């Protein structure tokens, strides 16, 4: 059994569980005898052994069920399992120290150019001895012969993440969350890798080099398209009330115009107000009709029930090839990881094959630890707490806005990001002043409000003046930040996102009120001079 595990055979997990079950009683009796030989009272030994048995049952339950435990594990239990995985990797090979000259005596003799060697013990501790990373040069999802423990950890983490997404977030196990792959990359680079894999799947048609992108003013996705060596065609949005929404007609025209050259359409379901999630169900119908790949950028949308229902519907009524989600924004881990979901296993398999070389498993280890620490109850509690805060967040923002002559933007389709107008921060426009000159003149004045908030230890807000112009590649984006060229207000945004505390929100509204008051006071003093 140990030989199978060292060979990286994932099927050996079941065999190991059976082996452990058969020998558990024998091991317990041997432990009892050993404790008695050390004059440890039987009653004391029984307590310790019962703890060990309970811990082993948790491990076996994890391997057998391969789903998130209902209740989170303790740090000691998680570390215990991590070190067990570490022992299965060949780089943790020391059997004894001491002897002549204090040199190591080892089971394994590594003579390759990369044997998981780590100079610093501090670095080794930070990674729990798991230094081989994940994957092989041919496929990031393949088990490593020298790193059975790391391979098992990566596979288990994917299963736990999928379970959290299905039972916690609500994505359908037979639809968008039927298969997935974890990547130690940010959302943007994961998107780029996905696009490269879609292109490699269309080797018979090298003309497919265009990606239609429903405009969303976030630089990373645009760069992902460029990094994949593809041409981005920006499909404009439209405005309904305060909401910036998908222009389905414009998307349909773009598909007809570019025809067989279109490799994929990218839509977005997590965005800053006044932008709201794309009509991915309607776009999915267009992609099914035209036989074009459809990729959804759902960076931080797993925390939103409305968004997850929309994605489920899109997979039913039309075509969705992949959904890209961030691990840090959805599961509260450090930046650097993503999960790509797909209703099609072939799409996921192709992504794994396109990744060049091995990869760091650090973001995967972080996610594994976090998911076990949360348990399903912990994750659903965080989701529920966010939903509870949503009941008061818009009203509290509206109260501050009205006090200073502003209003919140009405964007009911976006339940994560909220906007508030900042039109009153700008000086009045003179009669003979051109609109473009006026907007350029007051942009710096309005942007300074964001700097004031940050200097008062408020992070995460975005302040967007009207008419900002940004250039990315060959594209000029007028009204950058609002995802449309002609949004009628300067505004700021704030997010009611997973993990935010009641205390943080209480303090945010107080500081926002004080900063607005201070800004207007300075503005009046300046005007009176």
């Amino acid at each position: 059994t140990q030989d199978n595990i060292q060979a990286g055979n994932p099927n050996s997990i079941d065999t190991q569980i059976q082996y452990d079950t058969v020998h558990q009683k024998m091991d317990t009796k041997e432990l009892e005898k050993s404790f008695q030989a050390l004059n440890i009272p039987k009653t004391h030994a029984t307590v310790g052994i019962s703890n060990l048995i309970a811990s082993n049952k948790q491990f076996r339950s994890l391997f057998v069920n391969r789903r998130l435990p209902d209740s989170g594990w303790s740090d000691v239990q998680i570390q215990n399992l991590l070190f067990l995985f570490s022992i299965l990797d060949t780089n943790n090979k020391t059997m004894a120290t001491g002897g002549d000259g204090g040199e190591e005596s080892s089971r394994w003799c590594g003579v390759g150019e990369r044997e998981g060697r780590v100079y610093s013990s501090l670095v080794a501790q930070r990674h729990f001895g798991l230094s081989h990373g994940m994957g092989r040069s041919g496929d990031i999802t393949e088990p490593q012969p020298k790193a059975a423990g790391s391979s098992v950890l990566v596979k288990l983490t994917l299963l736990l993440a999928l379970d959290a997404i299905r039972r916690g977030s609500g994505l359908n196990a037979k639809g968008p969350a039927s298969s997935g792959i974890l990547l130690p990359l940010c959302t943007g680079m994961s998107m780029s890798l996905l696009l490269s894999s879609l292109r490699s799947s269309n080797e018979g048609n090298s003309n497919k080099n265009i990606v239609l992108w429903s405009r969303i003013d976030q630089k990373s996705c645009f760069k992902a398209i460029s990094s994949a060596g593809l041409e981005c065609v920006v499909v404009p949005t439209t405005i309904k009330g305060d909401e910036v929404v998908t222009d389905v007609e414009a998307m349909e025209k773009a598909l007809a115009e570019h025809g067989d050259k279109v490799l994929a359409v990218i839509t977005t379901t997590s965005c800053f107000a006044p932008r709201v999630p794309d009509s991915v169900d309607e776009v999915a119908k267009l992609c099914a009709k035209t036989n074009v790949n459809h990729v959804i950028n759902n960076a931080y949308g797993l925390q939103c029930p409305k968004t997850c229902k929309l994605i489920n519907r899109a997979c039913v009524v039309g075509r969705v090839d992949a959904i890209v989600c961030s691990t840090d924004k959805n599961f509260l881990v450090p930046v650097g990881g993503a999960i790509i979901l797909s209703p099609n296993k072939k799409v996921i398999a192709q992504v794994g094959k396109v990744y060049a070389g091995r990869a760091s498993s650090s973001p995967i280890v972080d996610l594994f630890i976090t998911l076990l620490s949360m348990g399903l109850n912990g994750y659903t509690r965080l989701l529920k707490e966010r939903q509870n805060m949503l009941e008061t967040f818009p009203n509290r923002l509206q109260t501050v806005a009205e006090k200073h002559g502003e209003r919140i933007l009405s964007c009911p389709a976006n339940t994560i990001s909220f906007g508030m107008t900042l039109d009153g921060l700008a000086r009045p426009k003179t009669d003979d002043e051109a609109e473009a000159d006026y907007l350029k003149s007051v942009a710096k004045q309005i942007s300074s409000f964001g700097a004031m908030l940050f200097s008062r230890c408020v992070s995460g807000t975005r302040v967007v003046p009207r008419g900002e112009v940004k250039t990315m590649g060959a594209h000029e984006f007028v009204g950058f930040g609002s995802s449309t060229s002609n949004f009628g207000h300067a505004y700021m945004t704030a997010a009611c996102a997973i993990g935010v505390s009641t205390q943080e929100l209480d303090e945010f509204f107080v500081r926002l009120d004080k900063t607005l008051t201070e800004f207007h006071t300075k503005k009046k003093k300046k005007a009176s001079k």
Side-chain angles (χ1 to χ4, degrees):
T1 301
Q2 292 299 327
D3 290 341
N4 287 333
I5 291 177
Q6 289 291 356
N9 180 4
N11 294 326
S12 65
I13 296 174
D14 293 328
T15 309
Q16 181 65 36
I17 295 166
Q18 295 170 10
Y19 178 90
D20 288 344
T21 303
V22 170
H23 289 79
Q24 183 180 350
K25 291 184 178 179
M26 182 183 71
D27 293 341
T28 301
K29 290 180 180 180
E30 289 178 353
L31 277 173
E32 288 176 349
K33 290 180 181 179
S34 299
F35 287 175
Q36 289 174 12
L38 293 171
N39 294 323
I40 304 297
K42 186 176 180 180
T43 53
H44 297 184
T46 300
V47 172
I49 292 172
S50 66
N51 288 340
L52 182 61
I53 292 172
S55 181
N56 288 338
K57 283 183 178 179
Q58 280 190 310
F59 294 168
R60 286 198 300 275
S61 176
L62 183 66
F63 283 118
V64 170
N65 297 315
R66 302 178 188 183
R67 64 191 296 181
L68 207 59
D70 289 338
S71 300
W73 288 14
S74 70
D75 290 349
V76 171
Q77 291 168 309
I78 296 171
Q79 289 181 65
N80 189 10
L81 182 57
L82 287 169
F83 284 125
L84 284 174
F85 286 150
S86 181
I87 290 170
L88 296 176
D89 288 3
T90 59
N91 61 295
N92 300 302
K93 58 193 178 183
T94 303
M95 299 299 291
T97 56
D100 296 336
E103 294 183 356
E104 293 182 349
S105 173
S106 302
R107 256 189 92 208
W108 289 90
C109 178
V111 293
E113 80 287 350
R114 177 171 54 191
E115 294 293 334
R117 301 182 182 102
V118 176
Y119 176 82
S120 169
S121 60
L122 187 60
V123 172
Q125 290 172 30
R126 176 176 177 265
H127 294 273
F128 297 93
L130 300 165
S131 59
H132 277 291
M134 58 185 286
R136 304 185 73 180
S137 58
D139 191 332
I140 194 176
T141 64
E142 284 188 9
Q144 290 187 46
K146 292 185 289 187
S150 295
S151 300
V152 169
L153 184 147
V154 170
K155 290 181 180 295
L156 269 179
T157 307
L158 174 60
L159 293 171
L160 295 181
L162 286 173
D163 186 46
I165 291 168
R166 293 164 182 167
R167 294 198 290 153
S169 300
L171 285 185
N172 197 322
K174 294 183 179 180
S178 64
S179 59
I181 182 172
L182 285 168
L183 296 173
L185 299 170
C186 64
T187 310
M189 290 306 298
S190 297
M191 179 69 75
S192 183
L193 185 71
L194 171 61
L195 292 173
S196 296
S197 72
L198 293 175
R199 181 175 56 182
S200 66
S201 300
N202 286 273
E203 290 180 353
N205 190 349
S206 58
N207 291 329
K208 290 184 178 292
N209 65 339
I210 289 177
V211 174
L212 301 182
W213 183 44
S214 183
R215 179 176 171 179
I216 174 81
D217 290 352
Q218 296 169 344
K219 297 178 182 179
S220 60
C221 193
F222 183 89
K223 291 180 179 179
I225 297 169
S226 177
S227 297
L230 299 167
E231 179 186 346
C232 179
V233 172
V234 182
V235 180
T237 53
T238 188
I239 300 175
K240 289 185 178 180
D242 285 335
E243 292 184 327
V244 178
V245 303
T246 316
D247 191 333
V248 178
E249 290 185 5
M251 182 65 73
E252 189 172 14
K253 288 179 181 178
L255 282 166
E257 178 183 350
H258 298 284
D260 292 338
K261 292 184 179 180
V262 179
L263 173 69
V265 172
I266 296 180
T267 53
T268 306
T269 48
S270 55
C271 42
F272 301 118
R275 185 69 155 83
V276 299
D278 275 312
S279 302
V280 293
D281 50 348
E282 296 301 320
V283 175
K285 293 176 185 178
L286 295 177
C287 289
K289 181 180 177 181
T290 55
N291 194 29
V292 170
N293 296 304
H294 180 198
V295 176
I296 298 176
N297 181 358
N298 188 47
Y300 49 93
L302 293 177
Q303 60 190 282
C304 179
K306 183 181 289 189
T307 297
C308 290
K309 288 178 181 178
L310 180 62
I311 294 174
N312 284 337
R313 171 174 165 75
C315 291
V316 171
V317 301
R319 176 169 178 171
V320 175
D321 293 85
I323 305 103
V324 183
C325 308
S326 165
T327 55
D328 62 278
K329 292 175 182 176
N330 290 293
F331 297 111
L332 309 183
V333 295
V335 172
I339 182 168
I340 297 179
L341 305 169
S342 177
N344 188 346
K345 290 183 179 180
K346 292 182 180 178
V347 172
I348 296 300
Q350 188 62 29
V351 173
K353 290 180 173 63
V354 168
Y355 193 101
R358 292 190 195 180
S360 169
S361 62
S362 290
I364 315 304
V365 174
D366 291 340
L367 183 59
F368 180 76
I369 293 170
T370 302
L371 289 173
L372 281 183
S373 182
M374 283 182 180
L376 182 63
N377 293 340
Y379 181 54
T380 53
R381 175 180 52 79
L382 287 169
L383 296 175
K384 186 175 181 180
E385 286 175 354
R386 192 192 81 85
Q387 287 296 117
N388 290 338
M389 291 181 193
L390 278 177
E391 295 178 4
T392 59
F393 189 96
N395 291 334
R396 296 180 71 181
L397 187 62
Q398 177 68 19
T399 299
V400 176
E402 289 178 349
K403 180 179 178 181
H404 298 277
E406 306 290 353
R407 68 175 180 85
I408 65 169
L409 300 175
S410 179
C411 304
N414 191 335
T415 60
I416 296 177
S417 178
F418 296 85
M420 182 184 82
T421 64
L422 295 177
D423 297 325
L425 300 189
R427 63 171 177 80
K429 180 176 174 293
T430 60
D431 295 337
D432 60 345
E433 194 172 16
E435 182 72 9
D437 293 337
Y438 169 70
L439 293 178
K440 186 176 180 179
S441 171
V442 300
K444 187 175 181 181
Q445 183 181 11
I446 294 172
S447 296
S448 67
F449 179 70
M452 287 180 67
L453 283 173
F454 190 76
S455 68
R456 287 150 185 77
C457 300
V458 176
S459 62
T461 59
R462 296 171 71 251
V463 172
V464 182
R466 288 176 58 201
E468 283 281 272
V469 178
K470 294 279 185 182
T471 300
M472 291 192 291
H475 293 269
E476 183 179 79
F477 293 83
V478 179
F480 186 83
S482 56
S483 301
T484 185
S485 299
N486 54 350
F487 194 70
H489 302 279
Y491 64 92
M492 63 162 284
T493 66
C496 185
I498 187 171
V500 69
S501 67
T502 303
Q503 292 76 15
E504 280 180 300
L505 293 184
D506 289 344
E507 191 61 34
F508 163 66
F509 290 116
V510 169
R511 295 183 190 186
L512 176 62
D513 181 26
K514 288 183 178 179
T515 307
L516 281 166
T517 300
E518 184 179 344
F519 187 95
H520 284 294
T521 300
K522 289 182 177 180
K523 180 184 171 185
K524 288 178 181 178
K525 287 182 179 179
K526 187 176 180 179
S528 63
K529 289 181 180 179

